[in-house]
Amino acid sequence: MQIFNTVAEIQQYLNECRSKNAAIGFTPTMGALHEGHLSLVRRAVSDNEISVCSIFVNPTQFDDKADLDRYPRTLERDGAMLEGAGNHVIFAPSVAEVYPPGLDTSHGVDFGEMADQMEGAHRPGHFDGMAQVVKRLVDIVQPNRMYMGQKDYQQQALVKEMLRQLDYKTKVVTCEIIREPDGLAMSSRNRHLTPDERESAGHINKVLRRLKEVAEILPLAVAKAQALEQLRHIPGAVPDYLEIVDAVTLKRLDNFEDAQSVVACTTVRIGKVRLLDNMILNE
Ligand code: AMP
C-alpha cells in the first residue's frame, strides 16, 4: 500500500495508473476507521483497479471547535485496517496541502433548500465546508467512482447534486449503513458515549424500524409524530430533528405517493454526541 501526504506525489502516481487505463475508486474519510468505512473501501477495491482512501480531518466543516479538537486521530491503526481491506493508496494530506494560501477552493455550488434543513439547520456552515473539501479532493484524485455512506444521507445527496451541477464525470456509489448488533449505526463518535449512553443509543434505530412499519398504514405526519415522541422517551436522548423527505430532492413529504423513494432522517443528541441515522421507508 502506498501512502502519500502531498498533492504532487499522489497526482504523479495516479496519472501513471490512468495512463494504464486503471479505474480509480475513491473513499473520502476523516479517519478513526471502523467497519462502516471499511465496507466502502472493500467495495472500491472490488469495483476498481486502484482504491484510494483519504484521511483528512477537515477543519472547515466543523462548526464546533471542541468537536474538531476531540475528533479521534488514529492514523497508524487506520493504516493497518486499510491494508487488511486490500486498499492500494492512502492520501493523508496536511491542512496546508488541501488549502494552500492563495488557491481558490470554494465550491461555487448553489444547493438551495437541500442544504438548509436537517443537518444544515443544526450545523451552520457544515455543508459548505463538506462540499469544499469533497470538491478539492475530487479535483486532486479525479476518481471514476466515489464511495459514500448512506449513514450521512443528506451529505451524499448534496455531493451527488454538486457533481451534477459541476458536470463532473465521477459517479457516487452510496453504500448501506453498517450497524452494531443492536442496530446503532457505526460512527467514529460512538466511542465518546458512556456505557449508559451507549445503551440508549441502540434504541434510535429501533424507533426508525417501527416507523417504517407504521408508515405503511398511518398518515406520514402521524407516524412521524409518534416516532419523535418515542425518540424523546429514550433515556438521555434529545432529538435535533426527525424528517421524512424525498430521497433525491430532500423535500419534506406529507404523502408516500409524492416521491418515488422516501427516507426518514434523524439526528439525536445523547450526552455530548450527535448520532445520525436514517431509513428508506418504502424499500
Ligand atoms: P467520516 O469519516 O465520518 O467522514 O465518514 C467517511 C465516509 O464513511 C462517509 O461517506 C460516511 O457516510 C461513511 N460511513 C460512516 N459511518 C458509516 C457506517 N456506519 N456505514 C456505512 N458508511 C459509513
Side-chain angles (χ1 to χ4, degrees), residues 1-31:
M1 191 170 60
Q2 307 272 347
I3 302 180
F4 298 115
N5 302 114
T6 68
V7 174
E9 282 170 331
I10 191 169
Q11 283 190 326
Q12 190 189 354
Y13 181 82
L14 292 179
N15 282 341
E16 278 170 32
C17 297
R18 266 187 289 269
S19 72
K20 295 174 197 143
N21 280 328
I24 296 167
F26 176 45
T27 308
T29 81
M30 298 202 298

Side-chain angles (χ1 to χ4, degrees), residues 200-217:
S200 286
H203 290 279
I204 298 169
N205 186 244
K206 296 187 179 78
V207 172
L208 289 183
R209 287 210 301 260
R210 248 174 299 174
L211 170 60
K212 184 175 175 173
E213 282 166 24
V214 299
E216 285 173 17
I217 38 180

Side-chain angles (χ1 to χ4, degrees), residues 36-81:
H37 299 112
L38 293 187
S39 71
L40 272 51
V41 171
R42 289 196 192 100
R43 181 83 190 271
V45 169
S46 85
D47 291 353
N48 304 277
E49 277 79 35
I50 298 288
S51 165
V52 178
C53 178
S54 64
I55 297 177
F56 178 64
V57 183
N58 175 37
T60 70
Q61 72 189 69
F62 283 81
D63 48 310
D64 174 1
K65 171 96 171 48
D67 189 26
L68 172 63
D69 291 343
R70 91 172 156 249
Y71 203 86
R73 286 151 172 97
T74 58
L75 193 55
E76 213 165 296
R77 187 170 167 274
D78 293 345
M81 290 170 80

Side-chain angles (χ1 to χ4, degrees), residues 27-40 54-56 61 71 130 146-153 155-156 173-180 184-190 276:
T27 308
T29 81
M30 298 202 298
L33 302 183
H34 50 66
E35 271 303 312
H37 299 112
L38 293 187
S39 71
L40 272 51
S54 64
I55 297 177
F56 178 64
Q61 72 189 69
Y71 203 86
M130 182 283 293
M146 177 157 60
Y147 295 82
M148 304 196 77
Q150 184 194 321
K151 192 195 129 232
D152 298 277
Y153 196 89
Q155 168 173 282
Q156 58 81 43
V173 181
T174 304
C175 302
E176 66 174 4
I177 304 174
I178 306 297
R179 301 180 180 280
E180 303 287 355
L184 175 64
M186 287 190 182
S187 164
S188 309
R189 292 185 172 92
N190 292 352
L276 280 70

